[in-house]
Amino acid sequence: MKIQNVLVVGKNEAIVELLIKHVNKYPELFALGTCKLEDISSICQISPVDILLISSGLSLNQENEVKQLVKQFHPNLKTVEHFGGGSGLLKTELNQILDRELGGI
């Protein structure tokens, strides 16, 4: 089974770290993240990104910028937008992606 890399991007460092922790509970996922939009290009150049997890705090323009930037490096990118609702909602959102990609967990 291929490990899928998840890039978590948001404005709040504590929330980004919490999301990374929750995503990394999945054995088939590996997450890293940033709150600095200027770091995204560097991350994408050194690490493949299969799933982009967008967290709260970004403006609509910033969200679109992040999506376009990451897709330049990884055109088959899947995107999850998680703006709160707890780890149960995050699990549901990730399972929707994983069901399509891996046949469920």
Side-chain angles (χ1 to χ4, degrees):
M1 167 182 349
K2 177 186 178 284
I3 301 295
Q4 295 202 36
N5 293 308
V6 179
L7 174 59
V8 181
V9 179
K11 275 289 194 194
N12 185 301
E13 190 172 323
I15 292 173
V16 168
E17 290 299 321
L18 182 64
L19 290 171
I20 291 169
K21 179 180 174 182
H22 282 297
V23 170
N24 282 333
K25 289 179 182 177
Y26 286 79
E28 59 272 91
L29 298 177
F30 175 77
L32 52 102
T34 185
C35 293
K36 299 177 182 174
L37 300 181
E38 60 270 13
D39 290 345
I40 294 172
S41 288
S42 298
I43 292 169
C44 288
Q45 289 177 32
I46 60 171
S47 177
V49 176
D50 302 298
I51 300 169
L52 172 62
L53 176 57
I54 296 179
S55 181
S56 60
L58 300 175
S59 70
L60 185 57
N61 287 340
Q62 289 171 321
E63 286 179 32
N64 290 331
E65 180 183 338
V66 168
K67 289 175 189 176
Q68 290 175 355
L69 181 60
V70 178
K71 281 192 176 210
Q72 287 178 2
F73 293 94
H74 310 289
N76 296 324
L77 179 77
K78 307 297 184 253
T79 301
V80 175
E81 295 177 352
H82 180 76
F83 302 118
S87 60
L89 179 58
L90 177 62
K91 181 177 179 180
T92 299
E93 292 164 342
L94 290 172
N95 278 331
Q96 289 175 344
I97 295 288
L98 294 173
D99 282 344
R100 275 194 297 253
E101 295 302 307
L102 302 175
I105 60 171

